[in-house]
Amino acid sequence: MIRLDKYIADAAGLTRSEAGKAIRSGAVAVDGTVLRKPERKIDEAAAAVSLNGMPCVWRRFRYYLLDKPAGLITASRDRTRETVLDLFPPEIRKTDIAPVGRLDKDTSGLLLLTNDGEFAHRVISPKYEVPKVYRAAVEHPLEPEDPERFRSGLVLADGTACLPAELEILDACECLVTVREGKYHQVRRMLASVGKPVLTLRRLSVGPLRVEPGPGAGRWRELTEEELCMMFKLLGMEK
Ligand code: URA
C-alpha cells in the first residue's frame, strides 16, 4: 500500500505537492471514484488509477538507455555544466533516476539510468562480470602483442591491476576492448599503458544491450520488457 500522492508523483513525474494539488482538485480517480485526500493509501499493484481521465500506472523502478554524446558529464546534476540528465524531459528529470556507473565527458555511447539501486550495483560490480564493449581510436598503430597483454591482465601506470580483458584489432588504429569492471578512466588508461593513447572512445554495449556504431546521438528510450528480462537473468535478479 502506498499513499496516493506518492503514487501520482512517481507515476506522472510530479512533485509530492503538485500531486497533492491535483488530487485535491479532483483530477484523480481510483477504481472509478474521485479521491481528494493525498494521504489515502491505495494498493499500488491492484488499483486502477487515472489522472485527468488518463490511466496512470505506478512503477517502482524505471530503466532508461541513453546514447550519450561526447561533451556531457555523467552526473545527475551540476551547477554549471550540462549533464546527461539534461537530455531528459522535466518529468523524468524530477524522478530519482541516476546514471549507472560513469562515462567520461569525452566518451560517447551506451549509458543506463535507473532508480533501481541493486540493478545499478550489479551492472557495475566486477562480481557479476557484465561485459562492456568499447570501440576506441588510438594515436599509434596497435601491435599483434596487444591482445595477449590485455588477456593476461594489465597493470596500469599507478600500479592498479586490471582483470583480464579482451582487445580485438579492427584496423591499424581502431580496436574493440571488452572489460568486466569499471575503474576510473579504465579503457583509456589500459590503452595508454600499452603506448596507445585514446583519441576517441565509444561504449557500444553493456551485456546484451547495444547502441548503433555512429556518434552518440543523445537519444534515449526505456528498456523493453525483453531487454529487462535478459538483464535480470544476467544479473541473477528476480523480475
Ligand atoms: N573507460 C574510460 O577510459 N572511459 C570511459 O568513459 C569508460 C571506460
Side-chain angles (χ1 to χ4, degrees), residues 102-104 107 134 185-189 201:
R102 189 172 292 268
L103 288 181
D104 301 336
T107 302
Y134 295 83
H185 290 334
Q186 178 156 1
V187 176
R188 291 173 196 274
R189 291 198 293 155
L201 189 63

Side-chain angles (χ1 to χ4, degrees), residues 9-10 12-16 18 77 85 88-97:
D10 289 350
L14 301 177
T15 62
R16 279 283 189 105
E18 287 167 344
R77 48 190 61 81
L85 259 295
F88 288 79
E91 63 274 19
I92 295 179
R93 279 208 305 271
K94 267 191 246 168
T95 64
D96 53 356
I97 61 162

